[in-house]
Amino acid sequence: MTQKLPLNPNQWRPEYHFSPSEGWLNDPNGLVYCDGVYHMFYQAGEHRRRWDHATSEDLLSWSEQGTKIQDTQSVQSFSGGAVVDRGDTADFGENTLVFTYTGHHDDGTEDQRLAYSTDIGDTVRTYNANPIIESATGDFRDPNAFWYEPDASWRMVVSRVEGTRDRPAGIEVYSSDNLRDWAYESTYRDTDGEEWECPSLFELPVERTAESRWVMIVSSIENCSVEYHIGHFNGTEFVAEDVILADYGYDFYAAQNWENPPRHGELVVSWMNNWAYADNGPNPGWRGVMTIPRTIALHNVNGDVKVHQYPAAEVARMRKNVITDLSQETVVPDENPLEQVDIGNRTLDIVATVDPRNADTVEFRVCEGRTQASSIVYDTVNEELHFDRTNAGAFFDNDAYGTTSMPLKLREDGTVKLRILIDRCSVELFANDGRRTMTNLVYPDRESTGVSFSSEGGAAEVERLMVYGLETS
């Protein structure tokens, strides 16, 4: 990897993804919606973690609200979640925002703590009887509470990354009537020995059926990736029936869902980075970006329940102009139907439906300049989608993190459908109506704004290709 800093520190600052005005950002924390406002707390402080706060009414334009849970001389404030205590079960007042988080002590031990806000996040107080779950060991973190309607009480999931003499590694489930006193219920164990953190647990309907499933989100430390575990929860134990990789890119980690979402489906956001290189990436005075919030839904696919993921609906509202609109266009090798199109935008929403026909590969090149491009290739022979950022600009070159792939079968009509979201430092792919996703950082030069399309080994047909310029209001 190589690093080339821009002359302008905002060259790569995203237009519609959240990034801090200055300093460090990693895990999203305390995601909660209340009174028309999305709240996003997050891990700030490169060397000592604390909770900073941002708010938005549309998930795209964010206002920073400052630090809300400080670190102290001996305890850092690690990740956790948030709920709206509508019924005042914790005795802090109706509709109080209650936060659960990990206290990371300088000796390495980690315990679980509580904080709350009675003014919708303007001020946050730490609970004076912390910790709410004591611990004499480390690697025990990321508490995330939720309301369990069947018995009208609270549940919380916490990651025990490494097992102890008394408890196995896995995701622990706790119960409580008041958010302050918690009882251990069970551990959802990983039989393959993976180390997990950043858990969430929620129920979703299976679209167009009378069924539902519970979804547990975990982040795999070893692979720096996110998994959706699909299964059943009875209030005490979670049992999985399938595990799905959430994203096939390198930069989707520590995902968390919004508590109390205002609409059908769950909204999820993640840190767009990777611990393999996060500490070494370009540092123009701010470091860290969140992914676009995405809606996740469950679908019955040939008898199996699968996750589909879509960009939040608000993204489409940013479409300010149609840069190009192609339909029913045959493309032969060495031909680029976008050659005469002046893209000129660094923020794009590309929606394409392509029939590969007899082509071996079809390729989109985005963030393209004279010598740069991010390459998106569909391989019809192996039914795979490849992403290559080895020539995408600063930092990433031909190393282990330069290319990635994901399995992707053609749709029933023989086409592949892609939605490609481009911001100044990222490319996010949603393939075949959200069946697969891929998220990657890129650091192109400012003038690398081109988009091209080509086929190899035969002709392909562009059934529809729309390129929209995006702009936040």
Side-chain angles (χ1 to χ4, degrees):
M1 294 179 183
T2 58
Q3 178 173 335
K4 181 179 68 175
L5 291 179
L7 296 177
N8 182 344
N10 288 321
Q11 174 173 324
W12 296 314
R13 182 177 294 284
E15 173 74 18
Y16 58 94
H17 294 73
F18 177 73
S19 63
S21 58
E22 60 181 10
W24 173 271
L25 168 151
N26 60 290
D27 300 6
N29 298 156
L31 303 180
V32 65
Y33 178 85
C34 188
D35 291 351
V37 175
Y38 295 93
H39 296 262
M40 179 167 61
F41 298 80
Y42 57 92
Q43 292 281 272
E46 185 169 4
H47 303 294
R48 294 192 64 82
R49 302 289 192 258
R50 62 180 189 270
W51 279 35
D52 281 6
H53 181 205
T55 56
S56 176
E57 295 182 2
D58 63 3
L59 293 169
L60 302 169
S61 300
W62 292 89
S63 299
E64 292 174 281
Q65 305 295 337
T67 298
K68 296 299 171 71
I69 303 180
Q70 293 276 6
D71 66 304
T72 70
Q73 288 185 344
S74 60
V75 182
Q76 298 179 57
S77 300
F78 273 24
S79 295
V83 297
V84 182
D85 188 10
R86 300 178 189 84
D88 191 22
T89 64
D91 202 27
F92 298 135
E94 289 186 1
N95 297 315
T96 293
L97 300 186
V98 179
F99 309 95
T100 51
Y101 68 100
T102 293
H104 178 86
H105 297 252
D106 286 354
D107 65 3
T109 59
E110 294 180 333
D111 55 31
Q112 314 317 317
R113 299 180 168 232
L114 204 69
Y116 62 97
S117 174
T118 58
D119 52 13
I120 319 180
D122 286 348
T123 57
V124 177
R125 301 177 177 87
T126 54
Y127 180 45
N128 60 12
N130 278 329
I132 54 172
I133 301 179
E134 296 182 348
S135 170
T137 65
D139 293 313
F140 176 48
R141 56 181 175 266
D142 310 334
N144 203 335
F146 60 95
W147 183 251
Y148 185 64
E149 187 62 40
D151 66 6
S153 63
W154 299 100
R155 297 295 186 273
M156 183 166 68
V157 286
V158 187
S159 174
R160 190 171 293 279
V161 179
E162 293 188 5
T164 67
R165 183 177 59 184
D166 301 321
R167 296 277 174 83
I171 305 302
E172 296 185 347
V173 178
Y174 291 79
S175 62
S176 175
D177 292 326
N178 58 16
L179 289 167
R180 293 178 280 109
D181 303 302
W182 293 90
Y184 170 80
E185 297 289 346
S186 67
T187 298
Y188 171 55
R189 301 181 63 177
D190 174 41
T191 56
D192 294 327
E194 276 194 81
E195 295 182 333
W196 293 331
E197 61 183 356
C198 304
S200 300
L201 183 60
F202 51 87
E203 188 177 20
L204 275 180
V206 180
E207 301 291 329
R208 298 183 179 87
T209 75
E211 299 181 67
S212 67
R213 293 292 189 277
W214 284 81
V215 180
M216 181 177 286
I217 303 177
V218 299
S219 289
S220 171
I221 296 173
E222 180 180 1
N223 301 315
C224 204
S225 61
V226 174
E227 298 170 352
Y228 296 139
H229 293 230
I230 315 300
H232 302 272
F233 180 62
N234 62 8
T236 299
E237 293 182 307
F238 175 79
V239 177
E241 58 185 29
D242 198 7
V243 176
I244 297 170
L245 182 62
D247 194 278
Y248 286 80
Y250 288 119
D251 299 303
F252 189 88
Y253 195 67
Q256 189 178 123
N257 64 301
W258 259 278
E259 163 69 13
N260 192 39
R263 58 185 181 233
H264 174 72
E266 289 290 333
L267 278 170
V268 170
V269 73
S270 85
W271 179 44
M272 187 156 47
N273 217 321
N274 190 303
W275 281 119
Y277 45 75
D279 294 325
N280 302 317
N283 182 10
W286 58 271
R287 303 179 79 177
V289 183
M290 295 300 183
T291 64
I292 198 68
R294 58 179 65 174
T295 299
I296 70 172
L298 300 181
H299 291 261
N300 188 309
V301 180
N302 299 322
D304 296 323
V305 177
K306 300 297 184 183
V307 173
H308 285 227
Q309 304 176 84
Y310 317 95
E314 285 80 357
V315 175
R317 300 173 194 167
M318 292 191 299
R319 295 170 175 171
K320 298 302 180 184
N321 61 307
V322 178
I323 296 173
T324 189
D325 183 357
L326 302 179
S327 62
Q328 306 305 315
E329 182 148 349
T330 300
V331 179
V332 298
D334 300 321
E335 179 181 85
N336 171 23
L338 299 175
E339 187 172 9
Q340 303 303 318
V341 178
D342 182 16
I343 301 295
N345 282 52
R346 301 181 69 206
T347 53
L348 300 173
D349 186 352
I350 301 172
V351 182
T353 302
V354 177
D355 184 345
R357 289 172 50 180
N358 62 351
D360 294 330
T361 63
V362 293
E363 178 183 16
F364 279 99
R365 290 167 65 85
V366 300
C367 304
E368 189 172 22
R370 286 191 306 140
T371 61
Q372 294 179 350
S374 295
S375 172
I376 302 161
V377 176
Y378 183 70
D379 178 345
T380 62
V381 176
N382 296 303
E383 296 185 306
E384 291 180 332
L385 190 73
H386 305 279
F387 184 82
D388 187 335
R389 60 182 177 183
T390 57
N391 196 34
F395 191 60
F396 297 108
D397 49 28
N398 191 21
D399 71 356
Y401 298 95
T403 61
T404 184
S405 302
M406 65 182 179
L408 188 68
K409 293 182 179 297
L410 294 174
R411 300 192 301 169
E412 290 184 359
D413 63 359
T415 66
V416 59
K417 184 175 182 181
L418 299 178
R419 186 167 178 194
I420 309 168
L421 297 181
I422 299 172
D423 209 336
R424 295 171 183 170
C425 66
S426 63
V427 178
E428 289 169 284
L429 302 174
F430 296 80
N432 287 357
D433 302 303
R435 185 65 191 88
R436 296 273 193 268
T437 68
M438 184 184 286
T439 302
N440 291 286
L441 290 168
V442 292
Y443 297 104
D445 292 345
R446 182 180 293 276
E447 63 271 17
S448 296
T449 61
V451 176
S452 63
F453 177 82
S454 63
S455 70
E456 292 291 337
E461 182 174 357
V462 176
E463 291 196 354
R464 191 73 186 273
L465 170 59
M466 298 194 72
V467 181
Y468 300 92
L470 299 181
E471 183 180 320
T472 56
S473 57

